[in-house]
Amino acid sequence: MTTPLTLVANIEAKADKIEFVKAELLKLIAPTRLEEGCIQYDLHQDNSNPAQFTFIENWASKALLEQHLNSPHLTMYVQATEGAVVNFTLNEITKIA
């Protein structure tokens, strides 16, 4: 049995592109939640820094995550937000308790 994979994706929008990036991130939710292996895909916005967005994700396997990372809707998001994002980090984390 494969252990689910948890990810934290942090996206920081440029100050003048917050609403644009937010709209593009929201477009990812519905198609991603329909993907094989998607257990959880929740978007959050920082209360004190509205330019900071965080996805909390859980995937059934690394292979299914890789499929997501190569999906057409994620590719379109990257193209649409080029130049609008200051920083992007993706952390794979493991639940230990």
Side-chain angles (χ1 to χ4, degrees):
M1 181 176 199
T2 305
T3 303
L5 180 63
T6 301
L7 295 170
V8 178
N10 290 296
I11 304 99
E12 183 182 357
K14 288 186 175 178
D16 62 337
K17 299 290 185 183
I18 294 170
E19 290 305 314
F20 171 72
V21 171
K22 181 177 181 177
E24 292 299 315
L25 290 169
L26 288 168
K27 290 178 188 178
L28 294 173
I29 295 171
T32 298
R33 287 181 177 166
L34 293 174
E35 288 181 55
E36 179 184 1
C38 180
I39 299 167
Q40 177 188 11
Y41 195 74
D42 296 331
L43 179 62
H44 304 265
Q45 188 172 21
D46 189 280
N47 292 338
S48 61
N49 179 5
Q52 184 68 46
F53 298 93
T54 301
F55 271 112
I56 307 297
E57 309 178 29
N58 281 288
W59 293 89
S61 71
K62 179 86 170 179
L64 293 171
L65 167 64
E66 291 297 327
Q67 287 180 17
H68 164 66
L69 294 175
N70 293 307
S71 66
H73 52 274
L74 197 56
T75 300
M76 288 188 324
Y77 159 79
V78 170
Q79 291 171 349
T81 60
E82 185 175 347
V85 173
V86 175
N87 192 28
F88 170 77
T89 59
L90 185 63
N91 298 95
E92 293 183 18
I93 59 175
T94 301
K95 184 176 179 179
I96 57 173

